[in-house]
Amino acid sequence: MPRPKQWPHSQGGERVGLVCRACGCQDFRVVYVKHRPGGIVIRRRECRHCGRRVLTREVQV
Ligand SMILES: [Zn+2]
């Protein structure tokens, strides 16, 4: 499964280490959640500070 390149503030976990690459904060709100077949959850998050949107893909087991 392809992974995005390592983020500088990553702490080893994609969920916990989600950091806005524009302003560096970790304060996101979820805009929407989309479920895909195979237990994949797509979440679009928006930075509360600068409004940058980040798409995360998680696999639920
Ligand atoms: Zn930001």
Short mmCIF file of all heavy atoms in Angstrom, two decimals:
data_model
loop_
_atom_site.label_atom_id
_atom_site.label_comp_id
_atom_site.label_asym_id
_atom_site.label_seq_id
_atom_site.Cartn_x
_atom_site.Cartn_y
_atom_site.Cartn_z
N MET A 1 0.86 -1.20 0.00
CA MET A 1 0.00 0.00 0.00
C MET A 1 0.89 1.24 0.00
O MET A 1 1.76 1.39 0.86
CB MET A 1 -0.86 -0.03 1.27
CG MET A 1 -1.68 1.24 1.44
SD MET A 1 -2.83 1.03 2.80
CE MET A 1 -3.28 2.74 3.06
N PRO A 2 0.71 2.08 -0.96
CA PRO A 2 1.58 3.28 -1.06
C PRO A 2 1.36 4.23 0.10
O PRO A 2 0.22 4.47 0.52
CB PRO A 2 1.14 3.91 -2.39
CG PRO A 2 -0.23 3.39 -2.64
CD PRO A 2 -0.30 2.02 -2.03
N ARG A 3 2.45 4.74 0.62
CA ARG A 3 2.35 5.68 1.73
C ARG A 3 2.90 7.02 1.28
O ARG A 3 3.81 7.08 0.48
CB ARG A 3 3.21 5.20 2.90
CG ARG A 3 2.64 3.96 3.56
CD ARG A 3 3.67 3.39 4.51
NE ARG A 3 4.06 4.36 5.51
CZ ARG A 3 3.51 4.45 6.71
NH1 ARG A 3 2.59 3.63 7.05
NH2 ARG A 3 3.92 5.35 7.57
N PRO A 4 2.32 8.08 1.81
CA PRO A 4 2.89 9.39 1.50
C PRO A 4 4.27 9.52 2.10
O PRO A 4 4.62 8.81 3.03
CB PRO A 4 1.90 10.36 2.16
CG PRO A 4 1.24 9.56 3.22
CD PRO A 4 1.19 8.15 2.72
N LYS A 5 5.04 10.39 1.56
CA LYS A 5 6.39 10.56 2.09
C LYS A 5 6.34 11.01 3.55
O LYS A 5 5.40 11.66 3.98
CB LYS A 5 7.16 11.58 1.26
CG LYS A 5 6.39 12.84 0.97
CD LYS A 5 7.16 13.70 -0.02
CE LYS A 5 6.32 14.88 -0.47
NZ LYS A 5 7.00 15.70 -1.46
N GLN A 6 7.35 10.63 4.26
CA GLN A 6 7.38 10.88 5.70
C GLN A 6 7.23 12.37 6.02
O GLN A 6 7.89 13.19 5.41
CB GLN A 6 8.69 10.38 6.29
CG GLN A 6 8.81 8.87 6.28
CD GLN A 6 7.92 8.21 7.31
OE1 GLN A 6 7.51 8.85 8.28
NE2 GLN A 6 7.61 6.95 7.12
N TRP A 7 6.40 12.63 6.97
CA TRP A 7 6.23 14.01 7.39
C TRP A 7 7.23 14.31 8.50
O TRP A 7 7.51 13.45 9.33
CB TRP A 7 4.82 14.25 7.88
CG TRP A 7 3.83 14.14 6.77
CD1 TRP A 7 4.10 13.91 5.44
CD2 TRP A 7 2.41 14.22 6.87
NE1 TRP A 7 2.95 13.86 4.73
CE2 TRP A 7 1.91 14.04 5.56
CE3 TRP A 7 1.55 14.43 7.93
CZ2 TRP A 7 0.54 14.08 5.30
CZ3 TRP A 7 0.20 14.47 7.67
CH2 TRP A 7 -0.30 14.30 6.37
N PRO A 8 7.71 15.52 8.53
CA PRO A 8 8.76 15.86 9.49
C PRO A 8 8.32 15.70 10.94
O PRO A 8 9.14 15.35 11.78
CB PRO A 8 9.08 17.32 9.18
CG PRO A 8 7.96 17.81 8.32
CD PRO A 8 7.41 16.62 7.62
N HIS A 9 7.04 15.90 11.24
CA HIS A 9 6.60 15.82 12.63
C HIS A 9 5.97 14.47 12.94
O HIS A 9 5.36 14.30 13.97
CB HIS A 9 5.61 16.93 12.95
CG HIS A 9 6.20 18.30 12.83
ND1 HIS A 9 6.13 19.04 11.66
CD2 HIS A 9 6.89 19.05 13.69
CE1 HIS A 9 6.75 20.19 11.84
NE2 HIS A 9 7.22 20.24 13.05
N SER A 10 6.11 13.53 12.03
CA SER A 10 5.48 12.24 12.24
C SER A 10 6.05 11.55 13.48
O SER A 10 7.25 11.55 13.72
CB SER A 10 5.70 11.35 11.01
OG SER A 10 5.20 10.06 11.26
N GLN A 11 5.16 10.98 14.26
CA GLN A 11 5.58 10.32 15.48
C GLN A 11 5.38 8.82 15.37
O GLN A 11 5.23 8.12 16.35
CB GLN A 11 4.79 10.87 16.68
CG GLN A 11 5.07 12.34 16.91
CD GLN A 11 4.14 12.94 17.95
OE1 GLN A 11 3.14 12.34 18.31
NE2 GLN A 11 4.45 14.11 18.42
N GLY A 12 5.36 8.33 14.16
CA GLY A 12 5.27 6.91 13.96
C GLY A 12 3.87 6.41 13.70
O GLY A 12 3.69 5.28 13.33
N GLY A 13 2.88 7.22 13.91
CA GLY A 13 1.51 6.82 13.64
C GLY A 13 0.86 7.84 12.73
O GLY A 13 0.99 9.03 12.93
N GLU A 14 0.16 7.37 11.72
CA GLU A 14 -0.42 8.30 10.76
C GLU A 14 -1.55 9.10 11.38
O GLU A 14 -1.75 10.26 11.06
CB GLU A 14 -0.91 7.55 9.53
CG GLU A 14 0.24 7.07 8.65
CD GLU A 14 -0.26 6.49 7.35
OE1 GLU A 14 -1.35 6.86 6.93
OE2 GLU A 14 0.43 5.66 6.78
N ARG A 15 -2.29 8.48 12.25
CA ARG A 15 -3.41 9.20 12.87
C ARG A 15 -2.89 10.25 13.84
O ARG A 15 -3.27 11.40 13.80
CB ARG A 15 -4.30 8.22 13.63
CG ARG A 15 -5.06 7.28 12.71
CD ARG A 15 -6.01 6.45 13.53
NE ARG A 15 -6.75 5.49 12.69
CZ ARG A 15 -7.63 4.64 13.16
NH1 ARG A 15 -7.89 4.61 14.44
NH2 ARG A 15 -8.26 3.83 12.37
N VAL A 16 -2.01 9.81 14.71
CA VAL A 16 -1.53 10.72 15.75
C VAL A 16 -0.61 11.77 15.15
O VAL A 16 -0.59 12.91 15.58
CB VAL A 16 -0.79 9.92 16.84
CG1 VAL A 16 -0.37 10.84 17.98
CG2 VAL A 16 -1.67 8.80 17.34
N GLY A 17 0.13 11.36 14.13
CA GLY A 17 1.14 12.25 13.59
C GLY A 17 0.63 13.17 12.50
O GLY A 17 1.45 13.73 11.78
N LEU A 18 -0.69 13.30 12.40
CA LEU A 18 -1.21 14.16 11.34
C LEU A 18 -0.91 15.62 11.65
O LEU A 18 -1.41 16.18 12.62
CB LEU A 18 -2.72 13.94 11.21
CG LEU A 18 -3.37 14.65 10.03
CD1 LEU A 18 -2.81 14.16 8.72
CD2 LEU A 18 -4.87 14.47 10.08
N VAL A 19 -0.08 16.19 10.83
CA VAL A 19 0.32 17.57 11.05
C VAL A 19 0.09 18.36 9.77
O VAL A 19 0.42 17.89 8.68
CB VAL A 19 1.81 17.65 11.45
CG1 VAL A 19 2.27 19.10 11.57
CG2 VAL A 19 2.04 16.91 12.75
N CYS A 20 -0.45 19.54 9.90
CA CYS A 20 -0.64 20.39 8.74
C CYS A 20 0.73 20.79 8.20
O CYS A 20 1.56 21.33 8.92
CB CYS A 20 -1.43 21.63 9.13
SG CYS A 20 -1.64 22.79 7.77
N ARG A 21 0.93 20.51 6.91
CA ARG A 21 2.22 20.82 6.32
C ARG A 21 2.35 22.31 5.99
O ARG A 21 3.42 22.78 5.67
CB ARG A 21 2.43 19.98 5.06
CG ARG A 21 2.86 18.57 5.42
CD ARG A 21 3.03 17.73 4.17
NE ARG A 21 1.71 17.37 3.60
CZ ARG A 21 1.58 16.60 2.53
NH1 ARG A 21 2.62 16.13 1.93
NH2 ARG A 21 0.38 16.31 2.09
N ALA A 22 1.23 23.00 6.06
CA ALA A 22 1.28 24.43 5.74
C ALA A 22 1.66 25.26 6.96
O ALA A 22 2.51 26.13 6.90
CB ALA A 22 -0.06 24.89 5.18
N CYS A 23 1.01 24.98 8.10
CA CYS A 23 1.25 25.81 9.28
C CYS A 23 1.81 25.01 10.45
O CYS A 23 2.23 25.59 11.44
CB CYS A 23 -0.04 26.54 9.70
SG CYS A 23 -1.30 25.47 10.37
N GLY A 24 1.81 23.68 10.35
CA GLY A 24 2.45 22.87 11.38
C GLY A 24 1.57 22.53 12.57
O GLY A 24 2.02 21.88 13.50
N CYS A 25 0.33 22.94 12.56
CA CYS A 25 -0.53 22.63 13.70
C CYS A 25 -1.13 21.24 13.55
O CYS A 25 -1.04 20.62 12.50
CB CYS A 25 -1.63 23.67 13.83
SG CYS A 25 -2.96 23.45 12.64
N GLN A 26 -1.76 20.74 14.58
CA GLN A 26 -2.38 19.41 14.54
C GLN A 26 -3.87 19.51 14.82
O GLN A 26 -4.48 18.56 15.29
CB GLN A 26 -1.72 18.49 15.56
CG GLN A 26 -0.23 18.32 15.32
CD GLN A 26 0.40 17.39 16.33
OE1 GLN A 26 -0.29 16.66 17.03
NE2 GLN A 26 1.72 17.41 16.41
N ASP A 27 -4.41 20.65 14.56
CA ASP A 27 -5.82 20.89 14.90
C ASP A 27 -6.66 20.78 13.63
O ASP A 27 -6.78 21.74 12.87
CB ASP A 27 -5.95 22.27 15.54
CG ASP A 27 -7.27 22.43 16.25
OD1 ASP A 27 -8.01 21.43 16.38
OD2 ASP A 27 -7.57 23.55 16.68
N PHE A 28 -7.23 19.62 13.43
CA PHE A 28 -8.03 19.40 12.25
C PHE A 28 -9.47 19.12 12.63
O PHE A 28 -9.75 18.58 13.69
CB PHE A 28 -7.51 18.19 11.46
CG PHE A 28 -6.21 18.45 10.76
CD1 PHE A 28 -5.02 18.24 11.42
CD2 PHE A 28 -6.19 18.90 9.46
CE1 PHE A 28 -3.81 18.48 10.78
CE2 PHE A 28 -5.00 19.15 8.82
CZ PHE A 28 -3.80 18.93 9.48
N ARG A 29 -10.36 19.50 11.73
CA ARG A 29 -11.74 19.05 11.89
C ARG A 29 -12.06 18.21 10.67
O ARG A 29 -11.53 18.43 9.58
CB ARG A 29 -12.70 20.23 12.01
CG ARG A 29 -12.88 21.03 10.73
CD ARG A 29 -13.76 22.23 11.00
NE ARG A 29 -14.00 23.00 9.77
CZ ARG A 29 -15.01 22.75 8.95
NH1 ARG A 29 -15.86 21.78 9.21
NH2 ARG A 29 -15.18 23.47 7.86
N VAL A 30 -12.96 17.23 10.87
CA VAL A 30 -13.31 16.32 9.79
C VAL A 30 -14.43 16.93 8.97
O VAL A 30 -15.48 17.29 9.51
CB VAL A 30 -13.72 14.95 10.36
CG1 VAL A 30 -14.16 14.03 9.22
CG2 VAL A 30 -12.56 14.33 11.12
N VAL A 31 -14.20 17.06 7.67
CA VAL A 31 -15.22 17.62 6.79
C VAL A 31 -16.22 16.55 6.40
O VAL A 31 -17.43 16.75 6.48
CB VAL A 31 -14.56 18.23 5.55
CG1 VAL A 31 -15.62 18.83 4.62
CG2 VAL A 31 -13.54 19.31 5.96
N TYR A 32 -15.69 15.40 5.95
CA TYR A 32 -16.59 14.29 5.69
C TYR A 32 -15.86 12.97 5.80
O TYR A 32 -14.63 12.92 5.75
CB TYR A 32 -17.30 14.43 4.34
CG TYR A 32 -16.42 14.22 3.13
CD1 TYR A 32 -15.95 12.94 2.80
CD2 TYR A 32 -16.08 15.28 2.32
CE1 TYR A 32 -15.17 12.75 1.69
CE2 TYR A 32 -15.28 15.10 1.22
CZ TYR A 32 -14.83 13.83 0.91
OH TYR A 32 -14.04 13.63 -0.18
N VAL A 33 -16.64 11.94 5.95
CA VAL A 33 -16.09 10.58 6.05
C VAL A 33 -16.75 9.74 4.97
O VAL A 33 -17.96 9.78 4.80
CB VAL A 33 -16.35 9.96 7.43
CG1 VAL A 33 -15.76 8.57 7.49
CG2 VAL A 33 -15.79 10.84 8.52
N LYS A 34 -15.94 9.02 4.23
CA LYS A 34 -16.47 8.19 3.17
C LYS A 34 -15.95 6.77 3.35
O LYS A 34 -14.77 6.56 3.58
CB LYS A 34 -16.01 8.74 1.82
CG LYS A 34 -16.62 8.01 0.63
CD LYS A 34 -16.07 8.54 -0.67
CE LYS A 34 -16.48 9.99 -0.88
NZ LYS A 34 -16.01 10.49 -2.20
N HIS A 35 -16.87 5.82 3.29
CA HIS A 35 -16.49 4.42 3.46
C HIS A 35 -16.39 3.74 2.10
O HIS A 35 -17.27 3.89 1.26
CB HIS A 35 -17.52 3.71 4.33
CG HIS A 35 -17.52 4.20 5.74
ND1 HIS A 35 -16.74 3.64 6.72
CD2 HIS A 35 -18.17 5.23 6.33
CE1 HIS A 35 -16.93 4.28 7.86
NE2 HIS A 35 -17.78 5.26 7.66
N ARG A 36 -15.31 3.04 1.95
CA ARG A 36 -15.10 2.30 0.70
C ARG A 36 -15.11 0.81 1.00
O ARG A 36 -14.82 0.40 2.12
CB ARG A 36 -13.73 2.67 0.11
CG ARG A 36 -13.64 4.09 -0.40
CD ARG A 36 -13.88 4.11 -1.89
NE ARG A 36 -13.75 5.49 -2.41
CZ ARG A 36 -12.60 6.00 -2.82
NH1 ARG A 36 -11.50 5.29 -2.73
NH2 ARG A 36 -12.55 7.21 -3.31
N PRO A 37 -15.44 0.02 0.00
CA PRO A 37 -15.39 -1.45 0.20
C PRO A 37 -14.01 -1.89 0.65
O PRO A 37 -13.00 -1.29 0.27
CB PRO A 37 -15.70 -1.99 -1.20
CG PRO A 37 -16.44 -0.90 -1.89
CD PRO A 37 -15.91 0.38 -1.34
N GLY A 38 -14.00 -2.92 1.49
CA GLY A 38 -12.73 -3.44 1.96
C GLY A 38 -12.30 -2.81 3.28
O GLY A 38 -11.16 -2.95 3.68
N GLY A 39 -13.22 -2.10 3.93
CA GLY A 39 -12.89 -1.52 5.23
C GLY A 39 -12.03 -0.28 5.15
O GLY A 39 -11.41 0.12 6.13
N ILE A 40 -12.01 0.37 3.99
CA ILE A 40 -11.22 1.58 3.83
C ILE A 40 -12.08 2.79 4.17
O ILE A 40 -13.21 2.91 3.72
CB ILE A 40 -10.67 1.68 2.40
CG1 ILE A 40 -9.77 0.48 2.11
CG2 ILE A 40 -9.93 3.00 2.19
CD1 ILE A 40 -9.30 0.41 0.67
N VAL A 41 -11.54 3.65 5.00
CA VAL A 41 -12.25 4.85 5.40
C VAL A 41 -11.46 6.07 4.92
O VAL A 41 -10.29 6.22 5.24
CB VAL A 41 -12.42 4.91 6.94
CG1 VAL A 41 -13.21 6.16 7.31
CG2 VAL A 41 -13.12 3.66 7.44
N ILE A 42 -12.12 6.89 4.14
CA ILE A 42 -11.51 8.11 3.65
C ILE A 42 -12.03 9.27 4.50
O ILE A 42 -13.23 9.42 4.68
CB ILE A 42 -11.87 8.35 2.17
CG1 ILE A 42 -11.56 7.12 1.33
CG2 ILE A 42 -11.17 9.60 1.65
CD1 ILE A 42 -10.13 6.93 1.00
N ARG A 43 -11.12 10.04 5.03
CA ARG A 43 -11.55 11.20 5.82
C ARG A 43 -10.92 12.46 5.23
O ARG A 43 -9.71 12.51 5.04
CB ARG A 43 -11.11 11.06 7.27
CG ARG A 43 -11.92 10.06 8.05
CD ARG A 43 -11.65 10.22 9.52
NE ARG A 43 -12.44 9.29 10.31
CZ ARG A 43 -12.02 8.07 10.67
NH1 ARG A 43 -10.85 7.68 10.34
NH2 ARG A 43 -12.80 7.28 11.38
N ARG A 44 -11.74 13.42 4.96
CA ARG A 44 -11.22 14.71 4.53
C ARG A 44 -11.21 15.64 5.73
O ARG A 44 -12.24 15.90 6.34
CB ARG A 44 -12.07 15.30 3.40
CG ARG A 44 -11.59 16.66 2.96
CD ARG A 44 -12.34 17.17 1.76
NE ARG A 44 -11.94 16.52 0.52
CZ ARG A 44 -10.88 16.86 -0.20
NH1 ARG A 44 -10.12 17.85 0.20
NH2 ARG A 44 -10.58 16.24 -1.30
N ARG A 45 -10.04 16.11 6.08
CA ARG A 45 -9.90 16.97 7.23
C ARG A 45 -9.47 18.36 6.78
O ARG A 45 -8.80 18.51 5.77
CB ARG A 45 -8.85 16.41 8.19
CG ARG A 45 -9.19 15.02 8.68
CD ARG A 45 -7.98 14.42 9.35
NE ARG A 45 -8.14 13.01 9.64
CZ ARG A 45 -8.58 12.53 10.80
NH1 ARG A 45 -8.87 13.34 11.77
NH2 ARG A 45 -8.71 11.24 10.99
N GLU A 46 -9.85 19.32 7.58
CA GLU A 46 -9.52 20.70 7.26
C GLU A 46 -8.82 21.33 8.45
O GLU A 46 -9.29 21.24 9.59
CB GLU A 46 -10.81 21.47 6.94
CG GLU A 46 -10.54 22.88 6.45
CD GLU A 46 -11.84 23.57 6.10
OE1 GLU A 46 -12.44 24.18 7.00
OE2 GLU A 46 -12.28 23.48 4.94
N CYS A 47 -7.69 21.95 8.19
CA CYS A 47 -6.95 22.61 9.25
C CYS A 47 -7.74 23.79 9.78
O CYS A 47 -8.26 24.60 9.01
CB CYS A 47 -5.60 23.07 8.71
SG CYS A 47 -4.64 24.02 9.89
N ARG A 48 -7.84 23.88 11.09
CA ARG A 48 -8.61 24.98 11.66
C ARG A 48 -7.89 26.31 11.55
O ARG A 48 -8.49 27.37 11.69
CB ARG A 48 -8.89 24.70 13.14
CG ARG A 48 -9.85 23.56 13.38
CD ARG A 48 -10.05 23.38 14.88
NE ARG A 48 -10.79 22.15 15.19
CZ ARG A 48 -12.11 22.10 15.35
NH1 ARG A 48 -12.82 23.18 15.21
NH2 ARG A 48 -12.70 20.97 15.65
N HIS A 49 -6.61 26.24 11.37
CA HIS A 49 -5.83 27.47 11.37
C HIS A 49 -5.74 28.09 9.98
O HIS A 49 -6.02 29.27 9.80
CB HIS A 49 -4.43 27.20 11.92
CG HIS A 49 -4.43 26.93 13.39
ND1 HIS A 49 -3.55 27.51 14.27
CD2 HIS A 49 -5.23 26.12 14.15
CE1 HIS A 49 -3.80 27.08 15.49
NE2 HIS A 49 -4.80 26.23 15.45
N CYS A 50 -5.36 27.29 8.99
CA CYS A 50 -5.12 27.86 7.67
C CYS A 50 -6.10 27.34 6.63
O CYS A 50 -6.13 27.84 5.52
CB CYS A 50 -3.68 27.61 7.24
SG CYS A 50 -3.33 25.89 6.86
N GLY A 51 -6.91 26.35 7.01
CA GLY A 51 -7.92 25.87 6.08
C GLY A 51 -7.42 24.87 5.06
O GLY A 51 -8.15 24.48 4.16
N ARG A 52 -6.17 24.44 5.19
CA ARG A 52 -5.65 23.46 4.26
C ARG A 52 -6.36 22.13 4.46
O ARG A 52 -6.58 21.69 5.59
CB ARG A 52 -4.14 23.27 4.48
CG ARG A 52 -3.53 22.33 3.46
CD ARG A 52 -2.12 22.00 3.85
NE ARG A 52 -1.52 21.08 2.91
CZ ARG A 52 -0.73 21.44 1.90
NH1 ARG A 52 -0.42 22.70 1.74
NH2 ARG A 52 -0.23 20.56 1.08
N ARG A 53 -6.69 21.49 3.36
CA ARG A 53 -7.43 20.24 3.45
C ARG A 53 -6.51 19.06 3.20
O ARG A 53 -5.67 19.10 2.31
CB ARG A 53 -8.59 20.24 2.47
CG ARG A 53 -9.63 21.26 2.88
CD ARG A 53 -10.87 21.16 2.04
NE ARG A 53 -11.91 22.06 2.59
CZ ARG A 53 -13.12 22.16 2.06
NH1 ARG A 53 -13.45 21.47 1.01
NH2 ARG A 53 -14.00 22.96 2.62
N VAL A 54 -6.70 18.03 4.01
CA VAL A 54 -5.86 16.85 3.94
C VAL A 54 -6.77 15.64 3.83
O VAL A 54 -7.78 15.54 4.51
CB VAL A 54 -4.97 16.73 5.20
CG1 VAL A 54 -4.12 15.48 5.13
CG2 VAL A 54 -4.09 17.96 5.34
N LEU A 55 -6.39 14.74 2.95
CA LEU A 55 -7.17 13.52 2.77
C LEU A 55 -6.41 12.38 3.42
O LEU A 55 -5.24 12.15 3.13
CB LEU A 55 -7.34 13.25 1.27
CG LEU A 55 -8.63 12.57 0.84
CD1 LEU A 55 -9.85 13.40 1.20
CD2 LEU A 55 -8.61 12.35 -0.67
N THR A 56 -7.07 11.67 4.33
CA THR A 56 -6.43 10.53 4.95
C THR A 56 -7.19 9.26 4.59
O THR A 56 -8.41 9.28 4.44
CB THR A 56 -6.39 10.68 6.49
OG1 THR A 56 -7.73 10.74 6.99
CG2 THR A 56 -5.64 11.92 6.89
N ARG A 57 -6.44 8.19 4.46
CA ARG A 57 -7.04 6.91 4.12
C ARG A 57 -6.64 5.91 5.18
O ARG A 57 -5.45 5.71 5.46
CB ARG A 57 -6.55 6.44 2.76
CG ARG A 57 -7.23 5.18 2.28
CD ARG A 57 -6.61 4.68 1.01
NE ARG A 57 -6.52 5.76 0.01
CZ ARG A 57 -5.66 5.74 -0.99
NH1 ARG A 57 -4.83 4.75 -1.14
NH2 ARG A 57 -5.62 6.74 -1.85
N GLU A 58 -7.63 5.32 5.81
CA GLU A 58 -7.35 4.37 6.88
C GLU A 58 -8.02 3.05 6.55
O GLU A 58 -9.07 3.02 5.93
CB GLU A 58 -7.88 4.89 8.21
CG GLU A 58 -7.24 6.20 8.62
CD GLU A 58 -8.01 6.86 9.75
OE1 GLU A 58 -8.88 6.20 10.34
OE2 GLU A 58 -7.75 8.03 10.02
N VAL A 59 -7.40 1.99 6.98
CA VAL A 59 -7.95 0.66 6.78
C VAL A 59 -8.37 0.11 8.12
O VAL A 59 -7.57 0.00 9.04
CB VAL A 59 -6.92 -0.28 6.12
CG1 VAL A 59 -7.52 -1.66 5.92
CG2 VAL A 59 -6.47 0.30 4.78
N GLN A 60 -9.65 -0.20 8.24
CA GLN A 60 -10.15 -0.76 9.49
C GLN A 60 -10.04 -2.27 9.44
O GLN A 60 -10.40 -2.89 8.45
CB GLN A 60 -11.60 -0.35 9.70
CG GLN A 60 -11.75 1.13 9.96
CD GLN A 60 -13.17 1.49 10.31
OE1 GLN A 60 -14.11 0.80 9.96
NE2 GLN A 60 -13.34 2.60 11.01
N VAL A 61 -9.60 -2.83 10.53
CA VAL A 61 -9.44 -4.28 10.60
C VAL A 61 -10.53 -4.89 11.47
O VAL A 61 -11.15 -4.20 12.24
CB VAL A 61 -8.06 -4.68 11.15
CG1 VAL A 61 -7.00 -4.39 10.10
CG2 VAL A 61 -7.78 -3.95 12.43
ZN ZN B 1 -2.71 24.64 8.84
#
